[in-house]
Amino acid sequence: MKRKSVAIVGASETTELGVIPHLSQMGLHADAALNAMADCGLSPKDIDGVATAGQSPTEIAWYLGITPTYVDGTSVGGCSFMLHVRHAAAAINEGLCNTVLITHGESGRSGIGRGGFGGGPSTLGGQFEAPYGIFGAPNTFTIPVLRYMKQYGVTEEQLAMVAVVQREWAGRNPRAAMRDPITVDDVLSSRLIAWPFHLLECCLVSDGGGALILTSAERAKDFPTKPVYILGTGESVETPMVSQMEDLTSSRAFKVSGKKAFDEAGISHKDVDHLMIYDAFAHLPLYGLEDLGFVGRGEAPAFIAEGNTRMGGKLPLNTNGGGLSYAHSGMYGMFALQESVRQMRGTAPAQVAGAKIAVSHGVGGMFGAAGTIIMSNEAP
Amino acid sequence: MCQVIFVADIRKPLPKATPETQEFWDGVKQGKFILQRCNDPKCAKVYFPPRPFCPVCASRSVSSFAGSGRGKLASYVINHRPAPGFDAPYGICIVDLDEGPRLMTSIVGVPQTPEALVLDMAVELAPTVASDEISLPTFRPVGA
């Protein structure tokens, strides 16, 4: 895409976050959408593009009273919203529409108006993974990490450090669900979920949502909010089954998506002031740091343990506290994007002073998909 | 030689074969691990799960053959959450077959502990009877 040709002008999460038993999943979408429209002074009649995942874009458009000329129902898991941003930028540049609303809502905790999970017994996953006792992400997404740990000599203590550092960030964020400091011992003595993963190395389960509004950079100047320009974008998919990853220590989708986004943005890694890596589990920031090229193979555990990603470090990472400590609705990618926008607007609770370029990287499925969005707050 | 028969809990989720995978599931019932290979000599990719074309070169000319049923333990977790049909804690494993493809499976006949489930140990096919139609391609350590 053309650098800085499109900007995020509206961004908001749901009014509440965490446990929201009085709203259906559809209601969470709508609450976030209404907040995002209010954020930038738009109403549904101003929106002519709709994108969402987990819910049909037809439902969203109808529910909010939008008549779109552009619809994106790409649903590849938690990074779907990164892909929506990318597609929206292309659609706006191509003239398919002017203003795109991207919504997320998930009643992950309360399960109000939520659809089922997984496929039937004749799907590939139903035949070749479900029979071995995988029940959701905690004992599926985690399977590759022992190979990674053996290959690079990573200890359980180093894996635990990912959760410890992110909790430090969450301590600065009043909306974060878990704010009390934790130690490596706390992590390793928390309940075993799927060895080598303990409870504190697994993401939260929350109700919540978020929405973004994008328009052309030209038009963005007329909005009351500080525009956040899209600098580069990437996306890819690898496999619907974690057991079929080409390399258990690295995500092909991460590498392809990240390289495309950096190439589009025309930046190098040292230009990045702020980084979000979707952390459903503690190993994801490790894979993300390496597959995006911020560090070499096997170097991420030491990079985090040495404090590079914590407050005051050279690469602030997951500054909202992440899926491990802030919130995780099920498809967390929208929350990573929201924190990137806050950092670029200069409104984050744990603001990185002077941050100009933010990278937001999401995963979908169990290393199944990836989306990468690079943002800038500097006008073209 | 004593033949050990592993039998699955009936509450376990069971696969339902499709036309593309029926031969594989029939093979497991007979104690074989059926793989597929591209017939193009320039490609000759061996792959899994089954499909009627080569995932590397897209050729529709492919053949099935009985693999060695041997491989190595590539990675795993030991699940501690309650799961219907399974006695937690239990391992959920990935095995790399000697022919190249990898698959999710269970390692049976050994304790489900980090001490017994050693990465890179050699394993061999030891099917688990799950129903009249389905046996699962589970593995056990070679020599166990």
Side-chain angles (χ1 to χ4, degrees):
Chain A
M1 64 160 283
K2 285 172 280 188
R3 277 171 221 163
K4 297 187 179 179
S5 56
V6 168
I8 297 169
V9 292
S12 182
E13 297 179 359
T14 43
T15 309
E16 296 168 77
L17 190 63
V19 183
I20 315 174
H22 56 276
L23 279 179
S24 67
Q25 188 154 291
M26 194 61 195
L28 295 169
H29 279 264
D31 178 51
L34 293 169
N35 285 344
M37 286 188 277
D39 178 53
C40 62
L42 294 183
S43 74
K45 67 175 168 30
D46 302 311
I47 306 289
D48 58 359
V50 171
T52 195
Q55 205 83 24
S56 156
T58 311
E59 290 175 285
I60 300 293
W62 172 80
Y63 202 61
L64 289 166
I66 293 165
T67 304
T69 61
Y70 167 78
V71 173
D72 183 5
T74 303
S75 189
V76 292
C79 64
S80 299
F81 316 104
M82 280 80 173
L83 278 66
H84 295 158
V85 169
R86 186 170 201 243
H87 303 168
I92 291 167
N93 278 330
E94 185 60 22
L96 305 186
C97 57
N98 293 310
T99 310
V100 178
L101 169 71
I102 304 169
T103 69
H104 166 58
E106 197 158 359
S107 189
R109 180 103 190 171
S110 303
I112 313 288
R114 188 180 202 219
F117 183 85
S122 63
T123 62
L124 285 168
Q127 291 184 73
F128 298 109
E129 290 201 334
Y132 307 106
I134 59 166
F135 287 93
N139 64 26
T140 311
F141 212 158
T142 48
I143 296 173
V145 84
L146 271 193
R147 173 56 43 187
Y148 176 88
M149 292 170 78
K150 178 167 185 183
Q151 186 151 322
Y152 297 114
V154 177
T155 64
E156 290 193 53
E157 286 75 13
Q158 284 178 311
L159 188 61
M161 269 304 285
V162 175
V164 171
V165 173
Q166 289 195 196
R167 183 62 66 84
E168 293 174 9
W169 284 112
R172 294 273 299 271
N173 192 331
R175 258 167 82 90
M178 309 295 275
R179 295 192 293 272
D180 294 337
I182 50 172
T183 64
V184 166
D185 281 347
D186 290 335
V187 176
L188 296 181
S189 59
S190 66
R191 183 158 55 88
L192 268 175
I193 298 297
W195 184 84
F197 286 83
H198 306 78
L199 181 67
L200 295 180
E201 291 160 317
C202 302
C203 66
L204 304 165
V205 182
S206 321
D207 299 333
L212 295 169
I213 295 173
L214 284 83
T215 194
S216 68
E218 186 57 34
R219 217 172 139 236
K221 287 182 263 179
D222 300 331
F223 280 81
T225 47
K226 180 176 183 173
V228 177
Y229 299 96
I230 307 301
L231 194 56
T233 61
E235 66 186 281
S236 192
V237 294
E238 180 177 349
T239 167
M241 293 182 283
V242 72
S243 62
Q244 299 303 310
M245 288 176 79
E246 285 177 1
D247 178 349
L248 295 174
T249 72
S250 171
S251 162
R252 188 187 78 191
F254 281 21
K255 288 187 286 195
V256 172
S257 176
K259 181 176 188 320
K260 189 82 174 84
F262 274 83
D263 287 351
E264 277 188 13
I267 62 164
S268 69
H269 292 83
K270 65 176 172 14
D271 298 322
V272 177
D273 302 309
H274 174 255
L275 176 62
M276 296 298 291
I277 296 174
Y278 188 141
D279 58 320
F281 298 93
H283 60 317
L284 284 163
L286 306 178
Y287 282 60
L289 282 166
E290 294 178 14
D291 291 335
L292 292 174
F294 285 97
V295 298
R297 308 289 316 150
E299 293 176 3
F303 186 78
I304 288 178
E306 287 160 7
N308 290 296
T309 61
R310 62 163 44 125
M311 226 170 296
K314 65 181 175 190
L315 185 60
L317 169 68
N318 292 344
T319 51
N320 59 353
L324 297 180
S325 288
Y326 178 67
H328 190 290
S329 55
M331 293 192 286
Y332 166 85
M334 175 58 83
F335 293 99
L337 289 166
Q338 293 286 336
E339 174 67 6
S340 300
V341 170
R342 285 191 292 265
Q343 289 285 348
M344 290 295 91
R345 287 178 167 186
T347 60
Q351 181 64 39
V352 176
K356 294 184 176 63
I357 291 180
V359 173
S360 211
H361 179 76
V363 65
M366 318 294 148
F367 287 117
T372 315
I373 301 297
I374 304 181
M375 306 177 195
S376 165
N377 52 16
E378 293 186 310
Chain B
M1 185 178 129
C2 157
Q3 179 66 42
V4 181
I5 299 175
F6 299 99
V7 180
D9 188 302
I10 56 165
R11 292 171 299 166
K12 279 185 179 174
L14 279 188
K16 188 170 189 302
T18 66
E20 298 91 336
T21 62
Q22 188 66 56
E23 182 186 20
F24 172 79
W25 292 111
D26 290 345
V28 180
K29 275 174 73 174
Q30 297 160 22
K32 289 186 280 196
F33 198 105
I34 303 288
L35 288 164
Q36 289 178 299
R37 179 190 285 124
C38 179
N39 289 337
D40 183 337
K42 292 194 295 293
C43 178
K45 173 75 176 177
V46 175
Y47 63 89
F48 176 85
R51 72 210 83 171
F53 59 91
C54 172
V56 170
C57 73
S59 168
R60 290 177 190 267
S61 175
V62 296
S63 305
S64 300
F65 67 100
S68 66
R70 288 186 166 231
K72 286 191 165 59
L73 179 58
S75 201
Y76 66 91
V77 292
I78 299 174
N79 179 59
H80 284 256
R81 303 173 82 209
F86 295 82
D87 291 322
Y90 61 92
I92 307 171
C93 305
I94 292 177
V95 162
D96 286 349
L97 297 172
D98 287 353
E99 292 85 356
R102 58 174 41 132
L103 76 151
M104 188 174 286
T105 185
S106 306
I107 306 297
V108 295
V110 292
Q112 302 292 289
T113 62
E115 293 71 29
L117 297 171
V118 180
L119 285 191
D120 297 316
M121 72 180 179
V123 294
E124 62 188 3
L125 184 66
T128 295
V129 176
S131 72
D132 289 344
E133 292 79 33
I134 294 290
S135 289
L136 298 172
T138 49
F139 286 72
R140 66 182 168 200
V142 169

